[in-house]
């Protein structure tokens, strides 16, 4: 089986340009997760590289399939300069390692929580996983491998995360849209939820 990570990195470079920085994190018992940073104008994008090396496995499965199953990488976009967002590298690596560590399948509509601010002073401790296909197109792999999906992450305040658990991901996204919420603002306040 061919290593998918060089193909994933090539797709990221095609879509986002050359990374201007990169960090790597290795957790005990997991593969290395890299987080390259891409800067375009006033927007900084952080992508994971390593999550798609293995397919995600349903936690109820008796045996993990080493070939088939969903594959993904995570992409976070924020405005540059308003916060020390480079400290998001470790939390992003934690989220990217969660399929290996916790046996979860990360999919659109899911909430992922790191239990601490995403970066120093951030009003967010969790993210909403959005639909792929906008910023970075899916990477088709040779059969029988599933394509790699590049999942955008939308930071959520604790109030938004609690509201989303009750109302659902679609309702929260509609609320953001109705209030013209700048989801790239690293210091934004919670959208009105009443």
């Amino acid at each position: 089986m061919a290593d998918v990570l060089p193909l994933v990195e090539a797709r990221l470079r095609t879509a986002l340009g050359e990374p201007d920085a990169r960090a790597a994190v290795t957790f005990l018992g997991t593969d290395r997760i890299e987080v390259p940073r891409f800067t375009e104008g006033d927007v900084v994008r952080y992508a994971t590289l390593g999550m798609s090396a293995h397919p995600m496995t349903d936690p109820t499965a008796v045996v993990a399939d080493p070939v088939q199953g969903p594959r993904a990488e995570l992409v976070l976009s924020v405005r540059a300069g308003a916060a020390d967002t480079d400290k998001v590298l470790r939390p992003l690596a934690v989220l990217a390692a969660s399929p290996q560590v916790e046996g979860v399948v990360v999919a659109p509509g899911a909430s992922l929580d790191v239990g601490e601010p995403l970066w120093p002073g951030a009003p967010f401790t969790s993210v909403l996983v959005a639909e792929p296909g906008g910023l970075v197109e899916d990477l088709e792999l040779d059969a029988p491998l599933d394509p790699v999906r590049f999942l955008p992450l939308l930071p959520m305040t604790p109030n938004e995360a609690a509201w989303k658990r009750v109302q659902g991901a679609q309702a929260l996204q509609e609320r953001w849209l109705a209030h013209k919420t700048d989801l790239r603002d690293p210091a934004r306040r919670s959208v009105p939820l009443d």
Side-chain angles (χ1 to χ4, degrees):
M1 220 33 80
D3 184 5
V4 303
L5 294 185
L7 301 173
V8 170
E9 184 163 11
R11 174 58 54 96
L12 286 170
R13 287 173 187 262
T14 299
L16 305 176
E18 288 297 313
D20 59 3
R22 132 182 346 244
V25 180
T26 305
F27 302 101
L28 187 62
T30 67
D31 293 336
R32 171 184 167 115
I33 302 286
E34 292 190 22
V35 183
R37 180 185 73 190
F38 303 86
T39 305
E40 181 184 345
D42 69 337
V43 176
V44 179
R45 293 190 172 90
Y46 303 92
T48 62
L49 181 61
M51 182 176 168
S52 62
H54 305 286
M56 293 181 275
T57 304
D58 183 336
T60 62
V62 177
V63 178
D65 188 326
V67 177
Q68 290 184 302
R71 294 175 189 259
E73 296 290 353
L74 308 174
V75 180
L76 174 70
S77 300
V78 292
R79 297 222 179 280
D84 188 9
T85 56
D86 280 351
K87 297 285 198 277
V88 77
L89 301 174
R90 184 168 177 76
L92 266 183
V94 167
L95 296 177
S98 63
Q100 286 183 59
V101 175
E102 300 171 23
V104 298
V105 175
V106 177
S111 299
L112 302 175
D113 196 317
V114 293
E116 61 185 35
L118 292 176
W119 51 82
F124 319 106
T125 61
S126 62
V127 293
L128 174 65
V129 181
E131 290 290 335
L135 187 61
V136 184
E137 288 183 32
D138 292 354
L139 173 63
E140 296 294 331
L141 300 174
D142 293 336
L145 302 179
D146 287 21
V148 176
R149 302 171 85 197
F150 297 87
L151 302 172
L153 300 180
L154 308 175
M156 293 188 293
T157 66
N159 286 345
E160 290 170 339
W163 197 82
K164 181 256 176 195
R165 279 192 293 278
V166 175
Q167 303 293 331
Q170 183 67 34
L172 179 58
Q173 289 177 307
E174 288 170 3
R175 176 73 47 137
W176 283 335
L177 194 58
H179 288 273
K180 297 180 174 62
T181 306
D182 180 4
L183 297 174
R184 294 180 178 166
D185 181 351
R188 74 171 180 83
R189 296 185 185 275
S190 182
V191 70
L193 299 170
D194 48 358

